[in-house]
Amino acid sequence: MSTFQTPQIVQIPEDARQRALVFSKAVVETVNYKDSQQTVLQKIQDDHWVSKLGEEAVRILFERRECRVVGPDYRVYEAKRKSWDADLQINGLEVAVKTQRRSAAKRYGLSWTFQDSPERRDPILNLPEAWVCLVVFEDLKEACECVVYPLRKIKQLFFEAPRLQKLAGKKQAVYLETLIQRKVFEK
């Protein structure tokens, strides 16, 4: 697969932004995040919108590199049918995508979270060979763009407790500064 070693900037076109927005509005009523103490519907909708923007950025980047990409999935599932399937398939390789807003990073540090509570645990945490692509949505800029970091396996990441105390015991976090210090990513 054609990959890259340094973060890549990807512009998100209007049609992709609209697909993500329509999806986020439709899916918000089908989720229950009370175990994460998240009940604010506008926040849940925004999280889904940002997640889809990240998936679109990864799709666009790899398609430009002449890879075959399946996804993002825009189907809305009823609560009991939701899955933890990979967000994308790139040349047949399953890839999870995690996206963080730059504005949130300014408050808490640039990080990506993985669900890890007694009620819900992201199965990818048990798959050291699984691939993940970390993305930053540049919401503090005029243009709609994302920074896409190189693909890494779960076993290459360093998981820490979230700095936001209310997420402790519910999520695990991967912080960019730790990945740079440990030379997983270049500065």
Side-chain angles (χ1 to χ4, degrees):
M1 171 171 22
S2 177
T3 190
F4 51 95
Q5 296 303 314
T6 58
Q8 304 291 305
I9 296 172
V10 178
Q11 302 292 322
I12 310 300
E14 181 62 29
D15 63 325
R17 293 192 303 252
Q18 286 305 312
R19 277 193 304 274
L21 183 61
V22 168
F23 172 80
S24 69
K25 288 178 178 179
V27 79
V28 73
E29 295 294 331
T30 70
V31 296
N32 180 347
Y33 295 144
K34 289 182 181 166
D35 62 321
S36 299
Q37 297 177 344
Q38 184 54 262
T39 58
V40 179
L41 292 181
Q42 184 60 43
K43 168 76 167 92
I44 294 169
Q45 178 184 329
D46 184 69
D47 287 348
H48 282 280
W49 182 67
V50 170
S51 292
K52 285 299 180 198
L53 291 180
E55 292 173 27
E56 287 285 357
V58 175
R59 176 191 61 79
I60 291 166
L61 178 62
F62 279 94
E63 284 181 347
R64 285 184 187 153
R65 294 171 171 275
E66 298 184 7
C67 294
R68 184 179 37 80
V69 180
V70 176
D73 183 1
Y74 281 100
R75 291 175 290 185
V76 177
Y77 300 94
E78 36 184 293
K80 62 184 175 197
R81 291 195 59 231
K82 294 197 182 300
S83 76
W84 292 91
D85 290 345
D87 297 307
L88 301 172
Q89 284 190 14
I90 302 171
N91 287 345
L93 184 73
E94 292 188 342
V95 176
V97 178
K98 294 289 183 176
T99 308
Q100 167 74 291
R101 277 180 173 272
R102 179 69 68 185
S103 58
K106 286 180 129 339
R107 291 187 302 240
Y108 311 116
L110 184 48
S111 64
W112 298 270
T113 58
F114 294 75
Q115 186 66 36
D116 191 15
S117 70
E119 297 83 6
R120 284 186 303 135
R121 186 169 200 273
D122 191 332
I124 200 169
L125 295 171
N126 299 324
L127 302 170
E129 297 296 324
W131 290 96
V132 65
C133 197
L134 304 174
V135 179
V136 179
F137 170 48
E138 295 288 3
D139 65 323
L140 298 177
K141 292 185 174 181
E142 229 14 74
C144 186
E145 67 183 32
C146 290
V147 177
V148 179
Y149 285 84
L151 287 171
R152 291 295 183 258
K153 289 185 176 185
I154 286 291
K155 69 181 181 184
Q156 295 175 294
L157 304 179
F158 295 90
F159 292 90
E160 304 174 47
R163 294 181 187 154
L164 189 57
Q165 283 302 307
K166 72 178 187 175
L167 299 180
K170 297 173 182 67
K171 298 201 181 258
Q172 289 192 49
V174 173
Y175 287 90
L176 181 62
E177 65 190 41
T178 301
L179 297 177
I180 289 172
Q181 287 170 355
R182 300 201 178 188
K183 303 199 183 311
V184 174
F185 289 133
E186 297 175 14
K187 198 166 192 178

